[in-house]
Structure formats: structure tokens, C-alpha cells
Amino acid sequence: MIAALIGLPLLGATVLLLGGRRTNVWGHFLAVAMSGASFVLGAFLFIQMAGKSEEEREVGQHLFDWISVGAFQVPFGLHLDQLSIVFVLLITGVGTLIHIYSIGYMEHDPNRRRFFAYLNLFVAAMLLLVLADNYFLLYVGWEGVGLASYLLISYYQQKPSAATAGKKAFIVNRVGDVGLSLAIILMFVTFGTVTFEGVNAAAEASSPNTITWIGLALLLAACGKSAQFPLQSWLLDAMEGPTPVSALIHAATMVTAGVYLIVRAHAIFDLSETARTAVVIVGAITLLLGAFIGTAKDDIKKGLAGSTMSQIGYMVLAAGLGPVGYVFAIFHLLTHGMFKAGLFLGAGSVMHGMHDDVNMRHYGALRTMMKITYATFGLGFLAIIGVPPFAGFWSKDEIIHAAFSQSLIIGMATLIGAGVTAFYMTRMMTMTFFGEARWEDDVHPHESPAVMTIPMIILAFGSVFGGMAMLFVGDIEHWLEPITGFAKPEHSVSNTVLIPITLAVVFGGALFAWLRYGRRPVPVIAPSNVSFLTRAARADAYGDALNESVFMRPGQYLTRSLTWFDSKAIDGLVSGLAAAIGGLSARARRLQNGYVRSYALTMLGGAVLIALVLLLVRL
Amino acid sequence: MNPNNYLILAAILFTIGVYGVLVRRNAIIVFMSVELMLNAANLAFVAAARNTGTLDGLVVAFFVMVVAAAEVVVGLAIIVTIFRTRRSASIDEASLMKY
Amino acid sequence: MNGESVVFWVSGTFAIVGALGMVASKKAVHSALWVAFAMINIAVLYFALEAPFLGTTQIIVYTGAIMMLFLFVLMIVGVDSSDSLLETIKGQRLLAGLFALTFGGVVVASISSTLASPSAGLAYANAGYGGHMQAIAGLVFGTYLFAFEVLSALLITAALGAMVLAHNERWSPRKTQDQMQRERTLSNHVTPLPAPGVLARNNSVDTPALLPDGTTSIESLPTAFRGEGQVTKAAEIDEAAK
């Protein structure tokens, strides 16, 4: 049953990749069907699980013994519990919607079959990631989604920028993956096992130092996959991929894998204060950095990407808070998965109507031309900035609440983040849908077809009701408690005080943005005489520049000097030796001059030598 | 008289023969030098035979003469052949087998 | 000083002189004569060493047969041609001298340092066979019979080998007089070739003819004398003509 969840999309990917051109006609329907079947199966399993008592909800499926070398035993086992199932529903649910949306979005793409094959591959890998019952198998899924992400970012492979962005994502992800492999190696050395069960059981008895190191290695892995500081630079470039990909992989699911990893490894983080603090700091920095970048982007997708970084920063921060935060990290992850996917699909819809132009300065006044997109995007907007009772309000408020229980600084960071979020989202909203039209000459905005708008409408419903449904109907705190543990935040500011303050900050940010971009006309060309902060934000907070100057340039110098050393010193030694032998031989060759007399002389020399030796020995 | 004197004489003659082989370029003179060396060796054999009072040294010297005769016949034939093709009896000119 | 000593010192000195003369002579003919001289002296030493048979054989085989063979070959190669004694291989002469001296020195030194036993003489050995010649014959046809037979095979082989090597294979049929006449008529030298030069100082077939215009003619020489380094007299004749 559980294996079929993964197997169906994998089958779809295999058929589409191997089937060739004859699957062109019905390939995308197959992909949608496989993803949808997986979702139906997931929903069935969810209902089945919900019907059981709390103790019986975890189920495992041992498929086969994967690696069995001495003490190193890795089963190929799947594991479905309360945490996995919500991910399964998110992945297959949002995934299916985006599959459907892609039918419309990719209609005219000649390589549509390949696109759907990769999407199915991604769904299968992501499901493997969340269903694995050990870290090693999780690693396989982890790399699988990395591969799918790489393939889809550089999907427009004829564009050099897309190809470069794919490579960049791949390489930065490798840095994080080193962290995951280190963590797995450390786990095996320390605990002798890599299953979640075994690690959770053995973690308690191990030295705090080792636990801290494992936690930091896992954090590095999460940073790479979830675009957290300092490995955040790839996510903005990843927007080179098709918009459905940005929505599914780089907003709703894959980038949240880091949060899943941290929550899944809560047994490690529960035991190490240092690792948790590191997680919180990374989350706080990223949440502010992402929001900061989002304020200055004119590219609608890059603005949303900055927002994604920022929101994942919230989740990571929450996960770093320990038992008070795990549940809310997942909660925010789920709500974010819905409203951010909706926002991205909305952005894709706008682009679809605007001839693939992504510059918001060329938009404006689209609310009359694209009514459905406007409505769904607006609902997503309300959800992300945290207006009650939309989905984002519930999850974000809980995180801010928990953050204040940790420390005032962290709490303030989340609060400021909320204000900045409101600012850049309002900016995006007004620049796109309000104001006067700043369209290019031959652009005639139009609403997208139903195949695209229906998924957006469904996701908008999620943005509106998802938070309330999960909190009040699903009772997510108690649903996840057996897996992650849960504690009420103590010593925090009371919610009755905090909610009004948060809302005030949010409305302040939104009002400020309205005053700047709604009341005044927006220049079509980005003004160049701007403050240093704006320039920094436009340059992705100099993340690329930092990477280049700290890692790339010294690396290049190192490589160059090593090459120089290799070609001069090593090769010099080798070829010098060869040249010396060659030269000596060329000289020795002269002895072979063809003159019999010379040879005779040599013989005589030998005879003299022997005679001398004999004489000396006898004497 | 000291019987060693014959041996010393043989050694001197042999050395002169060696020198002749090494410095002369005319193949025929080189050959003569080789003959001289053989004669020196023969002289040593004969002297040693008398010294020890046996006759075997004489027989060996006799055989050496026979071998020398055979060698000279073949060697001179080779020289003639080379001369016929190269118009020269200089052994330095027959130096094609080199680097 | 007894008789043997006198013979040794005289003939020994002569032998060394002969050997040195051979090495030092410019002309191969002179070398051959010098070496014959040395060999005769060695034969005399054999007589002094109670080996009359070997002494005789030395004279007959070496000086009589082998050296004459050398002279015949020299006549083919060119009696008159003299070697340049200038060394062409760098360091050859120096090293050869050095090595030869060292070698000779070492051998002489080791012989001198050996204490010589008094000479046993061959009288007793000869007596066992009833005479010197009988003793040699007894050894050659008795103890060393097998070596003797092998040597005979070697001699036959050598004789055959020499014949094969020296045999001049004819690759084309012999020209008829008619053909030669045609060739001569068709060549650019219709008249007979000039005769070798005959001058007051030189009267031999290896002297090229002096033509009326003052130059020498290589064509006047037999082909055997036209080789490289053979026509050394051209310059002399040019001078003499002036």
C-alpha cells in the first residue's frame, strides 16, 4: 500500500521517459492520473489512519534488505505515521493540482512529455524522502528531489541562464548533502544504526558533543535543501525553471524538506541546546534576509522566491525552538505550501497573460483583466501577510508566540519579518493588480484557461480555510504530538497582547507599501539612484558576491596554483627526469659509433680492469 | 737464465699487438697485429712447456697456428670482399652499424 | 751468459723491433715485412726453447704461407697505398696507449713478481716417446686426436668459406666482342682509351696519363686503380709536368 504511493508516480515517470514520442499525446494525462491516484491512495490511508487509535497509527512496510554489510544493516523500509501522512497529502495534493495546472501552462511546449516525466519523478522522490524509515533511504529521496530539481530548473536548457541556474542549485545542494552524509556517518559510528527508531532510541545515551555535531551536520543539510543562510543563493536563480516547478518544488514541497529533516530528527535536536540555537539563528537570519531581498525585486517570481526563503526561515526558526515549535513549523509548512503554491500559480497565470514577462513594472491594473487570478492571488496575499482568519495568520502567529517564549530578540525578528512580509507582498499586489496599466505595446492581458484557474481556486480555498481546518478540525497539535512531542510555550507574551501588536505591524507594513506604490505612479524603469539597502536587496543581499569572493575566487586561485604546481613542479620533475635520461642516453648512444677500434678499446679497458683487480686481489 | 724472461717478452709483444689493433686503420695491418698477438701467446705456451717439462704446450701452440691459418684465410677473404665493394680497406669506413 | 741467453736477448730484441716496426710503418707492405721479421725471430726463440718442430712450422706456416697470403692480398688492395697515421677517433690513440701500457705493465709486473722455478727441460718428456718428433706425433695423433680431426674440419671449412667469399659472382652474361665494339662506338670516346702515364720518375700502370692539355686522365688507369685514395699521384704528376 505505502509502496504504491511512490510506485505510481515512479511508474508514470518511467513510462514517459522510456516511452518516447508515442506518449506525447496522452503522456501528460498519464502523469496527472498517476499523481492523482497517489493522492487518492494517500487520502485513503489518511482516513484509515485517522480512524485508528493513537497508538496504532504508525505503520511500517519492510520491502527488502537493502544493504547488509557486517554491522551495517540498512533495510529498504517505508514508514507511515502522522508526520509522513500530512506530507504525503501536501505533496500529492498540491502536486496533482500543479500537474493539472501544467497541462494548461505547458500546452505549447514541445518538450511537455519530458516536463511531466520530471514532475512525476519529483513526486516519487519526494514521497520516498518523507516515507523512508531510515536516514539512508531518506538520503536517496533527498538526492532524488535534488536531481528532479536540477532537471526542472534547467528545463529550458537552451537558455544559458537556466542551465547555469540548474548547475548552481546542484552544486550548492551538494554542499548541504555533505552535511547529510556526515550526519549519517556519525549516526552509524555512534549509534550503530541509521533507522529513525534506532537513532531516536539510542540518542539519549550518547555523548552530548556527538549529538551536537550530528545536529549541526543535519542543519547544514537543511540549509542546502531549504535555501537557508548561508546556502540561500541558489533559490533565487532557481526561478529560471517553469513557474509550476517554482510553485511545487521551490515553494511548496522540496525546499521544505530541510524543515522535515529537522523535525524528523527531533530526538537529536531535543538533546542539544547548541544545535537548536544554531537552527534558530539560521532561521532568524534567513527570515529577515529573504524578506529584505523580497522588498526590492521587480521580478515577480524572484520576489516570491525571497518570500519563500523568508517563510522557510520562519519554519526553521520554529523547528529550532524545540517541542514548542515543531508542530508549528509543520503547521506553517502546510499552510505555506498551499498559499505559496497559489501565489506562484497566480504569478504564472499573470505571466501567461503577459507574454512571459516577469517584470512587475510592466504590469499594473490587471485586476479587471484577470478576475480569477486577482481573486485567488489576493486571497493568497491575505494568507501570507497573516490577516485573520486566513491560513497564514494561524500558523505564523503561533510561531511568533513561541519565538517570544525563547527570547525577546528572536521574537522581535519574527515580528519585524511579519511587517516586512506585509510590505513586499502589498508592493507586489499593488504593482501587479492596481495602479495604471504599464503594459508593453503588443501585450493583451487575458485570463488563463480553466485548467489553470481551477487549481488556483482550490488552492485559494486552502489559503482561506486551510489554517482553521487544520487547527480546529484536524487538531494538528495533538495529531502530531505522538511523533514530535508538543509543549505549550511558557513565559511568552500573552496572545491577547501579541495578536494586536502583530496585526498593527502587518497593517503598518502594508500601509507603507500602499503609500509608496499604490498612491504614487510606479516608474516603468527601475530607478537607479536608490539607497545602498535597495541596491543590496536587488543584488540578493550580495549572496552571490560573497560566495564568489569567499569560495569561488580562492578556489580558482587554489586550482590555478595547483595546476601551475602540477605542470611546473610535478611535470617538471617527471619530464626533467625523462629529459635527463634521454639526454644521457643520447650521449651514451655516441659510444656506439660503429668503429670496431672503439669497441676493441672498450674490450681492452675491461681486460685491464680485470687484470688490475686480479693483481690487487692476489697482492 | 730466468725462464720468466720469455713470458715477459711474450707480454711485451702481445701489448704491441694490442696497440697495433687499436691504432691502425688498415684492416690488413690490424690483422697482422692479431697474428702478432697469437705469436706472443704461442711463445708463452712454448716457454711454459719447457719450464714444466711437458709437451702439451707445444701441441697447443701447433694447433693455434692451424687455427690462425684458417682464420687468416677467411679474414683476408672478407677483406677482399669488402675492398671489392667499397674500394677501401680501412676498417673505419665499415662503420655503418651505429646509432 | 750462456748460448741461450745470447739467442734470447738478440732475437727477443729483434722480435720487439719487428713488432714496433709493424705498428709504426705507414705502408702495409712494410708492416708485412716487419712482422715477417719478428716471426722469424720468434721461430729462432722456439729453437732455443728446445722446440725445433714448432720453430720449423713457424717459419713454414707463418712466414712462408700466412705472410705471403697477406702480401698477395696487399697486392690486390694496392701495394703502394700508404695509410695516414693521423688519428680520426678522438682520444683513441691516447687511451689505447694508456690501456696498453697499463695492461702490459700489469702482466709484466705479475710475471716478474712470480718466483721462477728452474726450467725442467724437455729431455725427459721426449725420452718417453723415443725422440722429439715421435713425442709430438704421439700427442697429436694420440691424446689430442679428436682436436686434430676437428681442426682438419675447420681448415676445410675455412678454405671453402674463403672460396665462397672471394668468388666474384657474375650477374650478367659475359659481353661478346661485338657488344663491346658497339658500346665503344656509341660512347663519346670512340678512340681507344689513353695508355697509363709513363714518366721519368714513375713507370707503372697506376700512374694516370698526362694529356696534351696538361691534365691527367683517370680513364687511362685500369679500373682496379681508380678507387678512392688510389689516384694519389695526380698532383705529383701535375707538378712534374710543370
Side-chain angles (χ1 to χ4, degrees):
Chain A
M1 262 314 237
I2 306 174
L5 278 176
I6 304 170
L8 287 171
L10 193 62
L11 178 71
T14 313
V15 169
L16 288 183
L17 283 176
L18 299 181
R21 224 172 281 148
R22 71 195 80 119
T23 62
N24 267 353
V25 183
W26 44 268
H28 45 291
F29 295 119
L30 176 78
V32 172
M34 286 304 169
S35 180
S38 199
F39 173 68
V40 170
L41 192 59
F44 173 71
L45 285 170
F46 173 69
I47 291 162
Q48 203 179 32
M49 183 186 284
K52 288 183 193 165
S53 69
E54 207 166 82
E55 292 77 35
E56 291 169 348
R57 280 175 177 164
E58 282 190 56
V59 285
Q61 187 179 11
H62 179 84
L63 291 178
F64 53 87
D65 285 327
W66 184 21
I67 298 174
S68 176
V69 183
F72 189 50
Q73 301 288 340
V74 180
F76 199 98
L78 303 178
H79 171 261
L80 189 70
D81 60 13
Q82 290 94 320
L83 181 59
S84 308
I85 194 74
V86 294
F87 268 94
V88 168
L89 290 178
L90 177 74
I91 295 159
T92 55
V94 176
T96 306
L97 291 177
I98 287 171
H99 271 77
I100 295 168
Y101 177 91
S102 303
I103 294 175
Y105 190 85
M106 303 300 283
E107 197 177 353
H108 304 297
D109 194 294
N111 294 320
R112 187 176 53 179
R113 175 175 50 85
R114 187 160 60 86
F115 177 81
F116 277 95
Y118 293 161
L119 270 192
N120 260 359
L121 178 68
F122 168 76
V123 170
M126 190 72 200
L127 287 171
L128 180 63
L129 197 164
V130 296
L131 287 172
D133 78 340
N134 61 68
Y135 286 98
F136 213 77
L137 194 54
L138 179 147
Y139 198 10
V140 175
W142 188 270
E143 291 300 322
V145 294
L147 169 70
S149 160
Y150 163 75
L151 291 171
L152 286 166
I153 291 171
S154 36
Y155 176 73
Y156 295 127
Q157 57 205 17
Q158 70 277 12
K159 272 166 65 185
S161 60
T164 315
K167 277 189 277 184
K168 184 174 175 184
F170 204 75
I171 290 165
V172 177
N173 267 297
R174 290 286 80 67
V175 178
D177 294 346
V178 169
L180 188 52
S181 19
L182 281 179
I184 292 172
I185 292 165
L186 273 173
M187 280 174 193
F188 176 69
V189 169
T190 319
F191 311 133
T193 176
V194 293
T195 59
F196 295 145
E197 211 178 338
V199 170
N200 290 357
E204 198 95 27
S206 304
S207 88
N209 235 346
T210 319
I211 296 293
T212 303
W213 280 112
I214 294 175
L216 291 177
L218 288 172
L219 173 63
L220 180 63
C223 282
K225 196 58 94 192
S226 295
Q228 298 296 291
F229 180 82
L231 300 177
Q232 83 285 9
S233 63
W234 66 271
L235 185 60
L236 289 157
D237 286 359
M239 296 302 129
E240 289 287 345
T243 309
V245 169
S246 307
L248 178 61
I249 300 186
H250 304 120
T253 54
M254 187 196 82
V255 284
T256 58
V259 182
Y260 171 79
L261 183 69
I262 292 173
V263 173
R264 186 51 95 183
H266 64 91
I268 304 285
F269 288 96
D270 282 348
L271 291 169
S272 171
E273 185 71 32
T274 320
R276 274 213 312 279
T277 313
V279 173
V280 169
I281 291 169
V282 164
I285 292 176
T286 316
L287 109 82
L288 292 175
L289 192 73
F292 175 59
I293 291 171
T295 55
K297 288 290 176 190
D298 291 330
D299 180 330
I300 187 168
K301 286 183 72 182
K302 292 208 169 170
L304 286 173
S307 160
T308 304
M309 269 168 64
S310 171
Q311 298 301 313
I312 296 170
Y314 272 108
M315 300 170 208
V316 169
L317 187 147
L321 294 176
V324 298
Y326 292 138
V327 169
F328 299 125
I330 300 300
F331 184 25
H332 193 57
L333 193 158
L334 297 172
T335 54
H336 173 258
M338 288 186 270
F339 63 67
K340 185 53 70 63
L343 287 170
F344 261 112
L345 295 190
S349 176
V350 171
M351 283 162 59
H352 196 71
M354 300 294 286
H355 281 252
D356 286 335
D357 191 350
V358 291
N359 193 339
M360 291 191 290
R361 291 182 187 277
H362 299 159
Y363 295 171
L366 288 175
R367 65 183 184 282
T368 52
M369 309 301 294
M370 304 177 168
K371 290 205 173 65
I372 301 172
T373 307
Y374 166 58
T376 55
F377 198 91
L379 292 173
F381 157 74
L382 292 173
I384 193 173
I385 66 173
V387 174
F390 296 97
F393 165 74
W394 305 105
S395 51
K396 197 189 281 181
D397 180 66
E398 294 286 8
I399 291 174
I400 295 171
H401 186 212
F404 270 104
S405 78
Q406 176 85 2
S407 85
L408 193 61
I409 299 173
I410 301 296
M412 286 309 289
T414 55
L415 200 56
I416 293 168
V420 180
T421 306
F423 174 82
Y424 67 71
M425 283 313 296
T426 312
R427 172 176 179 269
M428 196 178 285
M429 196 71 195
T430 51
M431 282 173 84
T432 307
F433 293 104
F434 297 95
E436 76 269 29
R438 300 179 298 275
W439 311 330
E440 304 272 86
D441 290 338
D442 52 345
V443 171
H444 306 290
H446 55 86
E447 185 55 277
S448 302
V451 74
M452 287 168 70
T453 51
I454 288 169
M456 287 155 59
I457 293 166
I458 296 173
L459 286 170
F461 269 101
S463 310
V464 178
F465 302 111
M468 284 184 288
M470 276 186 269
L471 198 58
F472 300 122
V473 182
D475 197 5
I476 190 159
E477 293 165 23
H478 291 108
W479 175 261
L480 289 175
E481 191 183 346
I483 306 299
T484 62
F486 176 64
K488 280 274 176 203
E490 295 163 12
H491 324 294
S492 183
V493 187
S494 156
N495 255 340
T496 47
V497 182
L498 192 58
I499 289 173
I501 295 177
T502 312
L503 288 177
V505 170
V506 165
F507 283 120
L511 190 66
F512 186 46
W514 174 255
L515 290 175
R516 283 206 58 169
Y517 299 101
R519 296 275 304 280
R520 282 188 280 169
V522 179
V524 175
I525 293 163
S528 53
N529 56 336
V530 289
S531 68
F532 167 74
L533 284 175
T534 315
R535 276 205 300 277
R538 278 183 188 162
D540 303 349
Y542 299 121
D544 288 338
L546 185 80
N547 282 349
E548 276 182 20
S549 55
V550 175
F551 299 107
M552 195 190 89
R553 296 266 150 67
Q556 282 179 335
Y557 286 134
L558 184 69
T559 317
R560 246 178 254 143
S561 49
L562 282 179
T563 314
W564 180 88
F565 181 75
D566 182 59
S567 59
K568 300 287 171 188
I570 306 286
D571 289 3
L573 188 70
V574 174
S575 27
L577 204 63
I581 290 172
L584 277 178
S585 309
R587 271 158 191 76
R589 202 178 63 158
R590 297 273 151 195
L591 292 177
Q592 204 72 13
N593 54 10
Y595 293 124
V596 180
R597 295 189 296 138
S598 276
Y599 304 158
L601 183 67
T602 318
M603 284 165 67
L604 178 64
V608 169
L609 205 65
I610 291 170
L612 273 174
V613 168
L614 284 175
L615 184 66
L616 289 174
V617 167
R618 211 180 61 179
L619 291 175
Chain B
M1 197 189 71
N2 189 343
N4 281 352
N5 287 355
Y6 286 102
L7 296 179
I8 290 170
L9 175 64
I12 292 170
L13 289 174
F14 187 88
T15 308
I16 294 171
V18 166
Y19 185 71
V21 168
L22 292 181
V23 300
R24 295 311 300 261
R25 264 169 302 178
N26 191 327
I28 298 167
I29 297 179
V30 170
F31 239 109
M32 290 178 204
S33 301
V34 172
E35 294 304 320
L36 186 65
M37 286 157 72
L38 287 169
N39 268 295
N42 272 355
L43 182 58
F45 269 121
V46 175
R50 192 179 72 141
N51 232 23
T52 53
T54 52
L55 292 163
D56 304 69
L58 303 186
V59 177
V60 171
F62 175 63
F63 285 166
V64 168
M65 284 184 196
V66 179
V67 173
E71 173 226 324
V72 163
V73 166
V74 177
L76 287 177
I78 291 172
I79 289 171
V80 168
T81 313
I82 291 174
F83 179 80
R84 201 183 281 150
T85 53
R86 305 183 69 90
R87 292 273 142 212
S88 162
S90 167
I91 56 167
D92 277 6
E93 281 184 33
S95 62
L96 293 175
M97 288 180 66
K98 58 178 177 179
Y99 48 85
Chain C
M1 202 183 240
N2 57 11
E4 194 202 335
S5 295
V6 174
V7 171
F8 173 78
W9 287 113
V10 173
S11 288
T13 313
F14 282 172
I16 290 172
V17 168
L20 288 174
M22 174 207 66
V23 175
S25 292
K26 261 186 127 176
K27 293 194 175 181
V29 177
H30 296 172
S31 282
L33 294 176
W34 276 117
V35 87
F37 176 67
M39 282 170 178
I40 289 172
N41 279 292
I42 290 169
V44 172
L45 287 175
Y46 288 167
F47 283 110
L49 284 166
E50 303 177 47
F53 170 69
L54 267 188
T56 319
T57 317
Q58 168 89 358
I59 291 173
I60 295 171
V61 174
Y62 263 116
T63 43
I66 295 180
M67 289 320 297
M68 288 314 111
L69 199 56
F70 269 106
L71 286 174
F72 278 132
V73 172
L74 276 173
M75 278 184 234
I76 294 174
V77 172
V79 193
D80 230 9
S81 70
S82 58
D83 280 2
S84 158
L85 285 182
L86 209 65
E87 186 53 60
T88 48
I89 305 175
K90 210 167 71 178
Q92 172 84 6
R93 184 163 290 182
L94 181 75
L95 277 175
L98 198 69
F99 283 176
L101 275 181
T102 319
F103 183 77
V106 168
V107 175
V108 169
S110 54
I111 293 169
S112 321
S113 67
T114 317
L115 200 63
S117 53
S119 186
L122 294 174
Y124 177 77
N126 288 339
Y129 291 91
H132 183 63
M133 283 311 294
Q134 288 90 332
I136 298 275
L139 281 172
V140 168
F141 296 109
T143 318
Y144 297 106
L145 180 65
F146 184 68
F148 181 77
E149 290 298 337
V150 171
L151 273 179
S152 68
L154 175 73
L155 274 176
I156 291 173
T157 314
L160 277 173
M163 276 160 63
V164 169
L165 280 170
H167 179 65
N168 200 0
E169 189 76 29
R170 177 172 290 283
W171 297 104
S172 52
R174 183 185 281 274
K175 284 178 192 160
T176 60
Q177 212 167 10
D178 181 47
Q179 276 174 320
M180 288 197 284
Q181 181 266 329
R182 272 171 200 283
E183 273 177 23
R184 170 52 55 86
T185 314
L186 292 173
S187 76
N188 51 12
H189 208 297
V190 185
T191 54
L193 294 173
V198 179
L199 290 167
R201 282 171 56 199
N202 284 285
N203 187 359
S204 64
V205 287
D206 65 342
T207 309
L210 190 63
L211 297 181
D213 60 354
T215 57
T216 53
S217 167
I218 192 84
E219 287 169 332
S220 62
L221 294 176
T223 38
F225 293 101
R226 289 182 190 175
E228 195 69 32
Q230 302 275 314
V231 196
T232 52
K233 288 187 179 157
E236 287 174 38
I237 293 165
D238 278 346
E239 263 175 41
K242 280 169 191 163

